[in-house]
Amino acid sequence: MKDVISSLYDSKMAALKAKIDAEKFDVKLTIVTVGDDPASKVYVRNKIRLFDELGLPCEHITLDEAGTTQADLDVLAANADHPMLFQLPLPNGLVAPDLPAAVDVDGFGSETLGQLVLGNNVVLPCTVQAVIDIIDNHYGENHFAGLKVAVLGRSNIVGKPLAIELINRQSTVSSFNSRSDLAAVDWTQFDVIVVATGFHGTLDNSQFVEGQLIIDVGINRIDGKLVGDVKHHEDVVSAAAITPVPGGVGRLTCLHVLGNAIKLCEMKQR
Ligand SMILES: Nc1nc2c(c(=O)[nH]1)N[C@@H](CN(C=O)c1ccc(C(=O)N[C@@H](CCC(=O)O)C(=O)O)cc1)CN2
């Protein structure tokens, strides 16, 4: 599965490069970080590196944890005239401002999410787009209709928007959350299972069967090791296709920051 994700990444990256070269878009991104969250530093560095690779400008505004107020973030958002994102998590109860759809590269704002519910969104949240790409790549085009998909997790940035996008594509979607009785579910009934709970061991590799696609969105650090939400028993060889962590969904997520920035800049220049 790692090789599959790698070649998917390479082909998406090549397509984005070709698009920029052909259409000479004026693509620009601003990333706002507050404080020193170590994981955020890694993810932001990866996003900046992608823009650098393509010679595109990416401004990084770094704000101190002490002294940054909600009003400071709101002012930045109010003045945004090109794609912008606020790297999460934010400290001290700060929340990402509700960016207008035209500059909302993460797709987390109420306008973009409203468009998603109505099925006329320009961008999807980057992790959601990554999951859609993996399903698309596995089953081939136009295979979403009728696909039985379980979505575990109901976060605003993955579980909820993913379930809506799958409904838009006419998949049969079952949504599970921390109050669901996961032990009572027969997981073999689903074609695709997306695990996005943030808890390692939510499901394990003994629960899946041949032909299923399992997409592990989790990134958990346990004893210094990065693991997903799916627990892998070493003595179990699962017949299902399970995306790896690291090197799975997360890798594609960063790429879609670039993809979404291109889409928004393209819309602006129309
Ligand atoms: N403003 C946002 N904040 C956050 C988002 C987001 O989409 N927008 N998502 C996550 C963090 N994230 C992107 O920002 C992200 C997470 C993980 C990866 C990734 O490449 N994971 C690698 C492992 C990397 C590592 O930790 O060594 C993998 O799974 O292979 C990319 C992006 C929360 N915040």
Side-chain angles (χ1 to χ4, degrees):
M1 208 52 194
K2 208 162 196 148
D3 294 348
V4 174
I5 305 279
S6 269
S7 58
L8 184 55
Y9 180 94
D10 291 344
S11 72
K12 294 274 166 200
M13 181 65 175
L16 292 177
K17 269 186 182 156
K19 191 163 195 173
I20 289 169
D21 290 346
E23 305 190 30
K24 306 268 176 283
F25 290 126
D26 184 15
V27 183
K28 203 171 157 188
L29 175 69
T30 295
I31 300 178
V32 183
T33 54
V34 186
D36 291 313
D37 181 72
S40 291
K41 276 190 173 167
V42 174
Y43 306 141
V44 168
R45 200 184 312 131
N46 289 346
K47 292 175 192 182
I48 295 172
R49 194 183 302 136
L50 260 179
F51 275 70
D52 282 352
E53 245 180 271
L54 298 182
L56 300 172
C58 181
E59 185 188 4
H60 183 194
I61 300 177
T62 53
L63 301 173
D64 282 341
E65 184 167 342
T68 297
T69 63
Q70 188 62 44
D72 296 327
L73 304 188
D74 293 342
V75 167
L76 287 172
N79 290 305
D81 64 354
H82 61 265
M84 174 179 270
L85 70 85
F86 292 82
Q87 187 62 33
L88 304 177
L90 292 166
N92 304 331
L94 294 169
V95 292
D98 190 9
L99 286 166
V103 294
D104 181 11
V105 73
D106 265 329
F108 294 166
S110 57
E111 191 183 354
T112 312
L113 291 174
Q115 292 171 347
L116 172 62
V117 170
L118 298 173
N120 58 16
N121 49 308
V122 174
V123 304
L124 280 171
C126 302
T127 304
V128 173
Q129 184 65 62
V131 171
I132 293 292
D133 286 349
I134 293 169
I135 299 175
D136 195 29
N137 186 60
H138 189 82
Y139 286 95
E141 264 175 52
N142 303 325
H143 277 72
F144 284 90
L147 203 63
K148 285 180 252 152
V149 187
V151 179
L152 286 81
R154 56 171 197 105
S155 73
N156 288 338
I157 69 173
V158 186
K160 248 186 259 178
L162 174 64
I164 294 166
E165 176 62 13
L166 289 165
I167 290 168
N168 287 345
R169 290 171 182 253
Q170 294 182 290
S171 299
T172 303
V173 183
S174 304
S175 164
F176 299 89
N177 59 67
S178 56
R179 304 299 287 266
S180 306
D181 183 2
L182 301 186
V185 179
D186 171 12
W187 297 102
T188 65
Q189 70 185 290
F190 299 107
D191 300 309
V192 180
I193 301 173
V194 183
V195 196
T197 57
F199 292 102
H200 179 61
T202 300
L203 295 179
D204 70 70
N205 64 343
S206 71
Q207 292 174 285
F208 314 128
V209 290
E210 190 169 0
Q212 288 185 298
L213 171 63
I214 315 301
I215 303 179
D216 191 349
V217 175
I219 301 173
N220 309 289
R221 195 170 285 278
I222 293 184
D223 299 331
K225 203 176 155 220
L226 275 188
V227 290
D229 291 345
V230 175
K231 186 177 172 69
H232 291 259
H233 297 291
E234 277 172 19
D235 55 342
V236 173
V237 180
S238 178
I242 309 178
T243 62
V245 178
V249 177
R251 220 177 145 213
L252 287 167
T253 295
C254 278
L255 193 59
H256 286 303
V257 176
L258 174 63
N260 283 355
I262 294 172
K263 283 181 190 162
L264 294 180
C265 293
E266 197 178 6
M267 284 294 287
K268 194 178 169 187
Q269 283 165 45
R270 263 194 199 152

